[in-house]
Amino acid sequence: MRTLRVLAGWLSGCLIGCGSTAWAAAVDFGTVELGKRSTERVTITIPYATRLGRIVVRTEGVESLDFADTGKGSCRTTRLYSAGGFCTVRVSFSPGYAGPRYGAVVVADTKGRVMATEYLSGTGVGSQAGIAQEMQRSITGFKSPDGIAVDAAGNVYVADYNASKVYKETPLPSGDYYRTLVAGSFTPVRVVAVDGGGNVFFDGLSGVAKETLQPSGRFQESAVGGFMGAPGGLAVDAAGNVYVSDSNFGKLYKHTFLPDGSYTRTLIRDELHGALGVAVDGSGNVYVAGQVDRKIYKETLSGESYIESSIDGPFTAPQGVAVDGNGNVYVSDFGTGEVYKETLKDGSYVQSVVASGMGAGYVAVDRAGSLYVSDVNEGKVMKLPIEGSPIPPVN
């Protein structure tokens, strides 16, 4: 059954415009109950003759979390492989939380260079009750924080527009965060995203840039692809495909991850007025904040094209959008300073306010259900736990 799911994903992708080029598809573990375990064999194709240096299985950048290497595959670091050869990694999936989970198998050569990446996906099923309610936290010291992303370890990646830098904020037991620099740019950096392998994407000098996480923990920069205008939002799906909105020309692009590690770009939609924040859910639906039209565009893949609908509300200047593991959509409205939660019920969205009183820029949700909002007025990022009652106004 898993093979059929992967094939279906590959076919739906090729119908969108990959032509004769095969698309990479995430190995889908399907639905697994919390506390249960499922395993699959993941095939790794060796691009050039070498011995394997290291095999790493990650969940959004974190090793041996929801996805882990069982050690029972055929890939061996002591074996010499020929170009075009293959081996397998036996991967287990034990979801820690309900909702979609993304991961990757990353294989490096003896020099520590990433030579192959196979993306993983699965969905945890079960009650989400019992998540501890934390205190509000703030990460300060930014010039102008815009786009934010969170990995499975709770590391927060922040695009600081005026500083032209992407920072990684690592949570410490004290409640503080330790800051490291992921990337710098000669131009302002507005958006950032993280994929299942822990790779970081942002808007660089010549388009979308990618910082590939090496087994050593360091990043190596490469280019995903260019764009014509100004990027307003960035997101990555389970298969490593990158979505970017062009706020100048109102377009939404998809950069499709190919088996050789390169990308091909297709246009999903144009005439998205004031296209800013982008999010993608576990079903591949893409959400874009339309600031000019004051709504959230929803692009649902159907056959060879996307069907567009919208989420309407009392938005005045929606800027950020995020989706949690239960399919709830969060919208940060810079105009009102509020963050809205859009809960899908009986085919329509029910709206509530979960935070207010801030310069609401971009928004992100972590695997445990906590909400992160960039406050461009105060130069900080707020972590706002969202389990339970609505959060009071931020002072």
Side-chain angles (χ1 to χ4, degrees):
M1 183 62 70
R2 180 195 64 79
T3 303
L4 292 176
R5 284 196 294 268
V6 172
L7 179 59
W10 181 88
L11 287 173
S12 66
C14 277
L15 289 172
I16 298 301
C18 67
S20 60
T21 303
W23 286 38
V27 176
D28 185 7
F29 285 71
T31 58
V32 178
E33 293 182 15
L34 301 186
K36 299 294 181 66
R37 180 174 179 265
S38 177
T39 61
E40 297 287 353
R41 281 193 176 90
V42 179
T43 300
I44 303 296
T45 301
I46 311 301
Y48 49 86
T50 187
R51 295 184 190 275
L52 303 187
R54 192 175 175 195
I55 303 165
V56 178
V57 177
R58 300 180 180 137
T59 305
E60 297 174 12
V62 182
E63 295 183 30
S64 302
L65 195 60
D66 293 33
F67 298 98
D69 187 355
T70 66
K72 297 182 180 180
S74 64
C75 292
R76 295 290 183 271
T77 56
T78 57
R79 186 176 300 168
L80 178 63
Y81 291 89
S82 60
F86 64 90
C87 60
T88 61
V89 178
R90 189 79 173 182
V91 177
S92 64
F93 174 50
S94 302
Y97 294 93
R101 306 266 72 87
Y102 300 157
V105 178
V106 179
V107 178
D109 60 20
T110 55
K111 295 183 179 180
R113 300 172 300 190
V114 173
M115 57 189 296
T117 300
E118 291 293 333
Y119 285 98
L120 313 170
S121 68
T123 302
V125 178
S127 174
Q128 201 77 325
I131 297 176
Q133 178 75 298
E134 299 182 21
M135 297 293 290
Q136 288 184 178
R137 294 185 181 183
S138 62
I139 312 172
T140 61
F142 303 105
K143 291 184 177 180
S144 180
D146 270 333
I148 49 179
V150 189
D151 67 18
N155 299 308
V156 185
Y157 300 83
V158 183
D160 194 334
Y161 184 84
N162 286 339
S164 299
K165 291 179 172 61
V166 176
Y167 295 108
K168 177 181 179 180
E169 304 288 341
T170 301
L172 300 175
S174 64
D176 297 324
Y177 284 81
Y178 175 74
R179 176 171 300 174
T180 53
L181 177 65
V182 175
S185 174
F186 293 107
T187 59
V189 181
R190 190 174 195 183
V191 291
V192 64
V194 180
D195 71 8
N199 305 310
V200 181
F201 301 79
F202 65 98
D203 50 316
L205 184 62
S206 58
V208 178
K210 177 181 181 179
E211 295 285 347
T212 300
L213 180 61
Q214 307 296 308
S216 64
R218 296 183 177 182
F219 290 97
Q220 180 175 334
E221 186 172 323
S222 59
V224 172
F227 44 74
M228 294 297 294
L234 193 63
V236 189
D237 68 14
N241 304 312
V242 182
Y243 302 80
V244 58
S245 64
D246 185 331
S247 60
N248 278 1
F249 294 96
K251 299 180 184 297
L252 175 64
Y253 294 103
K254 179 179 182 179
H255 295 265
T256 302
F257 180 73
L258 302 178
D260 64 0
S262 64
Y263 295 81
T264 182
R265 189 181 76 172
T266 54
L267 176 66
I268 292 180
R269 184 73 67 193
D270 57 9
E271 297 184 0
L272 301 176
H273 303 151
L276 290 177
V278 176
V280 58
D281 65 20
S283 299
N285 302 315
V286 187
Y287 305 79
V288 185
Q291 193 169 78
V292 174
D293 288 339
R294 301 179 181 181
K295 62 183 179 182
I296 303 301
Y297 303 102
K298 181 177 180 180
E299 306 292 341
T300 303
L301 182 63
S302 177
E304 300 183 18
S305 61
Y306 285 85
I307 297 176
E308 184 175 298
S309 57
S310 66
I311 302 174
D312 301 304
F315 311 129
T316 62
Q319 182 161 325
V321 60
V323 186
D324 69 14
N326 295 316
N328 301 309
V329 181
Y330 298 86
V331 181
S332 53
D333 192 324
F334 185 75
T336 63
E338 294 183 321
V339 179
Y340 300 95
K341 179 180 180 179
E342 304 286 346
T343 304
L344 186 61
K345 184 178 181 180
D346 299 328
S348 61
Y349 286 92
V350 178
Q351 186 178 85
S352 58
V353 176
V354 295
S356 60
M358 65 178 69
Y362 286 80
V363 64
V365 183
D366 68 16
R367 64 197 292 268
S370 293
L371 187 69
Y372 300 75
V373 185
S374 61
D375 189 332
V376 297
N377 290 342
E378 298 294 331
K380 63 184 179 181
V381 173
M382 298 295 298
K383 179 181 180 181
L384 309 172
I386 57 176
E387 284 292 306
S389 59
I391 300 165
V394 179
N395 296 321

